[in-house]
Amino acid sequence: MDAFDFVNDPITAAQADTVRNLLGEQWSERARDGFLVTSGRFVDEMGNDRTAELAALYKTHLPSGRLALRRSLETLLEFVGSLRQFEANYPVYINDPQRGSVPAFPQLPILGIAEIAPRLYRVMDSKSIAHETGELLLDFISREGRLPHLPPPRGLVLRVKPRIHWCSYERYKSPAATAAALQILPEYRNDCGLRATLPTAELEGLVFVAFNGDTKYPEHELGESMGFVGYYVEMKTQDHPDLPGGGLQVGVFGSPKVGELEAWLEAERRWSTIWREPTLT
């Protein structure tokens, strides 16, 4: 079957219909083909199609959201050239005798992010260390006014997973509510006690649809490994039944400016601002 067959493949056909409906008056064949570049990543490991979650992520109920989605999809297609060029230039290998396992990770940007969400929220462990300097993250942010730098991708199709700043669209009333909405499990060792507010005005081109962050298989699956994992998007958290989930997440690169930094005061059961961008005081 053609890898980009959106007529005879019922799953891909349904995805293409969903994208058409989300785009409305902004629909174009180039936007559809841009989606087809990455459509397989919108089907998770349980076989669930998550294409419809683009509605909340891009706010396609608004004209500006539909325009943002079209621009983002067409930008991905422009980068790869065409569906055939993408297939030829980025072949995927699974346990190849010479090459091993080589994945391809198309990156879908969220262009026009400032109109979609004026602020994003990065929640971190209160004891986190800044990888750049080895100091406490709260000290780094208070001094630099930014999150530590994570290099942006050099292109829109990657062969290895990059590190991203996982950010949410919403701020939650407590660390417990944050962990529940974003399904931050206890084993992640993140108390969610530190929260940075990121103005999106300077983040154009640095915000992307986030993909699953798994980099290792569970031990019982090691013998079954194909060499890479987590080959699907992670827009709305819903993978762990023990927590309600439902929070929207995006991936951010670079050194995002922080407008406000808050710490959770457990004794008082409230968030407290410990640093604010001087121009906002």
Side-chain angles (χ1 to χ4, degrees), residues 221-239:
E221 294 182 3
L222 286 177
E224 306 168 18
S225 173
M226 294 191 303
F228 56 92
V229 294
Y231 196 68
Y232 53 90
V233 295
E234 188 73 52
M235 295 175 287
K236 183 184 293 185
T237 56
Q238 60 185 47
D239 300 322

Side-chain angles (χ1 to χ4, degrees), residues 192-272:
C192 302
L194 196 64
R195 181 170 67 195
T197 299
L198 312 179
T200 56
E202 296 184 9
L203 293 181
E204 184 68 7
L206 295 172
V207 183
F208 290 78
V209 173
F211 50 82
N212 182 276
D214 295 340
T215 56
K216 296 181 180 178
Y217 278 94
E219 289 186 6
H220 68 278
E221 294 182 3
L222 286 177
E224 306 168 18
S225 173
M226 294 191 303
F228 56 92
V229 294
Y231 196 68
Y232 53 90
V233 295
E234 188 73 52
M235 295 175 287
K236 183 184 293 185
T237 56
Q238 60 185 47
D239 300 322
H240 304 292
D242 293 340
L243 295 172
L248 288 171
Q249 300 183 113
V250 295
V252 179
F253 293 97
S255 306
K257 178 185 290 187
V258 174
E260 183 179 37
L261 183 65
E262 300 168 278
W264 176 254
L265 302 181
E266 181 61 30
E268 301 177 24
R269 302 291 300 169
R270 67 179 179 88
W271 291 101
S272 173

Side-chain angles (χ1 to χ4, degrees), residues 98-111:
Q98 283 76 43
R99 300 176 181 86
S101 294
V102 182
F105 297 104
Q107 304 296 295
L108 181 57
I110 303 177
L111 302 182

Side-chain angles (χ1 to χ4, degrees), residues 64-79:
S64 58
R66 295 190 292 275
L67 175 60
L69 179 56
R70 178 180 65 78
R71 289 180 56 219
S72 301
L73 292 170
E74 290 183 349
T75 295
L76 178 55
L77 181 68
E78 181 178 349
F79 177 81

Side-chain angles (χ1 to χ4, degrees), residues 38 53 113 125 142 154 173 258:
T38 189
E53 294 175 25
I113 183 62
D125 187 86
S142 298
R154 295 182 178 180
K173 63 180 182 180
V258 174

Side-chain angles (χ1 to χ4, degrees), residues 122-136:
R122 168 71 165 150
V123 179
M124 301 151 286
D125 187 86
S126 61
K127 301 177 290 297
S128 294
I129 301 297
H131 64 84
E132 292 183 8
T133 62
E135 65 189 302
L136 285 172

Side-chain angles (χ1 to χ4, degrees), residues 153-219:
R154 295 182 178 180
L156 294 185
V157 181
L158 307 181
R159 290 302 200 176
V160 296
K161 291 181 178 180
R163 295 178 61 189
I164 61 173
H165 294 294
W166 287 85
C167 299
S168 66
Y169 275 16
E170 297 182 49
R171 55 192 299 177
Y172 300 94
K173 63 180 182 180
S174 69
T178 302
L182 301 179
Q183 294 191 327
I184 299 174
L185 304 179
E187 53 262 40
Y188 297 168
R189 298 180 181 179
N190 181 352
D191 64 14
C192 302
L194 196 64
R195 181 170 67 195
T197 299
L198 312 179
T200 56
E202 296 184 9
L203 293 181
E204 184 68 7
L206 295 172
V207 183
F208 290 78
V209 173
F211 50 82
N212 182 276
D214 295 340
T215 56
K216 296 181 180 178
Y217 278 94
E219 289 186 6

